[in-house]
Every structure is written in C-alpha cells, then in structure tokens.
Amino acid sequence: MSQTLTDRVKAIKNTPGTGENVLVSEINAAFDKFDNHFIPFCKIQGAAPQIIGSGAGQVQVTFDTTRTDTYAARSEGAMADLANERIIIRKAGLYYLRYHTIWLAGTAAGILRADMTINGATDMSVFDSGTAQASSMTVEQFRVLSVNDLITAFVQQTTGANRTLDDNTYANINVLEALWLGNAVEV
C-alpha cells in the first residue's frame, strides 16, 4: 500500500527529530487530500433522453456525464462509475443522497415511479399518477454509508405508452448525487 501525504505528515508529526521536512507548498498543493478538510461529493447526469416502456418493470437510469466528482483524481478511485450507471462511496459517513428526474408529457393513466437503490436493494421510492403534462420526481434521503456502497437509480411506469426521461428539454434535471456530511456511527 502506498503512503499518502496525510500518512506521511502524521508520521512526521508523531516522530519529532526525524530530520524530514515538508514544504508548505507541498502541503498546500495536496490540501484537499487531508481527510478532515475533504468533502466527498459526486453528481452524475443522464444527458441523453431515455425511453421507458410501459409495464417494463424497474429500468436502471442511464448516466453519461460526470458533473462533479471530488474523488476523480484521488488514489481511492472516482465515485462516478458511468460504465455501471452508479456512484461508489469512497468514504464512510453520513450522506445526503438525491435522485431527481422529469418525465416528459404523456398518457394520463397508471403510475410513474422513481427508486434509489443501495447495494442493489430498493431503499427509497416515490410514486406519482401518470399525468398528461411533464412530471418531476425527487427521491432524497440521509443515510449512513460504508466504503464501496453502491448508489443507483431506477424508474418504472405503467401509463400504457412509452414515457421519456429527458435532460435536453429541462437542462440538468436527470441527476444522481451523493454528498458526504460527516462522520457517523450507526446505532
């Protein structure tokens, strides 16, 4: 395992007289890597329209753009995993999670549903009746998460006709986000 700058500074701090010096410029250049000052945040977006068939069951939402990923350049690896349409938690703690989308106008029947999953299990859902006009949906929650937990979004609808999730009509709407709020101990 490679030694991080944080580990190195701790070692120097805890062993005075070692003769090793750390330049202020070196610390400043890597300041965001010090865990007590670093805030994990990831926001991925589905910019391309996604057509969801009526009665198709849960369909995983596709994301093709990373809007923000504070772990993108860190040794732990990025939080955004666009190849698998998900966010990977890289630091344990309390998170604010949010999935937001908009269904374009369609048939006024059935239901529209959005789900947030954690490690493959549906954790939170919102429902709305199928409406003729566009319908916005948000699933949000606070959760204590562990390293490598996986956050994904799914949708489903039963309006009797195809419905579209479209980020082009309403910009920056189809997004999945995870924001670390601090350390937490689940009881």
Side-chain angles (χ1 to χ4, degrees):
M1 182 173 156
S2 64
Q3 186 181 41
T4 66
L5 182 61
T6 304
D7 296 332
R8 187 169 155 222
V9 171
K10 284 180 186 175
I12 293 166
K13 180 181 169 188
N14 293 329
T15 55
T18 62
E20 185 174 359
N21 294 319
V22 177
L23 299 174
V24 171
S25 61
E26 187 178 15
I27 293 172
N28 287 342
F31 188 73
D32 69 327
K33 302 221 176 2
F34 289 94
D35 285 342
N36 57 331
H37 296 289
F38 182 73
I39 306 294
F41 174 65
C42 184
K43 180 177 187 175
I44 56 179
Q45 173 186 355
Q50 183 177 0
I51 298 171
I52 310 298
S54 180
Q58 278 190 319
V59 176
Q60 188 169 1
V61 178
T62 58
F63 297 101
D64 53 16
T65 305
T66 301
R67 303 287 296 177
T68 306
D69 185 350
T70 58
Y71 265 84
R74 288 179 60 109
S75 61
E76 297 92 332
M79 291 176 73
D81 180 5
L82 296 179
N84 295 297
E85 323 291 350
R86 64 188 182 191
I87 293 175
I88 303 170
I89 299 302
R90 298 296 187 194
K91 182 176 183 179
L94 177 64
Y95 279 81
Y96 169 68
L97 304 172
R98 178 177 169 267
Y99 169 61
H100 182 75
T101 195
I102 191 161
W103 296 88
L104 292 187
T107 308
I111 60 110
L112 304 172
R113 176 177 169 171
D115 302 309
M116 184 182 301
T117 68
I118 298 175
N119 298 323
T122 300
D123 194 66
M124 177 76 106
S125 301
V126 293
F127 295 85
D128 195 2
S129 6
T131 59
Q133 69 272 13
S135 182
S136 174
M137 300 184 92
T138 301
V139 182
E140 58 189 341
Q141 64 178 316
F142 296 95
R143 271 298 293 267
V144 175
L145 298 171
S146 300
V147 173
N148 293 324
D149 278 348
L150 307 172
I151 313 304
T152 51
F154 286 80
V155 292
Q156 61 182 306
Q157 59 98 0
T158 60
T159 62
N162 290 344
R163 291 292 289 257
T164 304
L165 305 177
D166 187 0
D167 201 64
N168 294 322
T169 305
Y170 304 96
N172 304 318
I173 279 292
N174 195 31
V175 294
L176 180 64
E177 302 170 300
L179 171 63
W180 183 82
L181 300 175
N183 292 320
V185 177
E186 195 167 16
V187 290

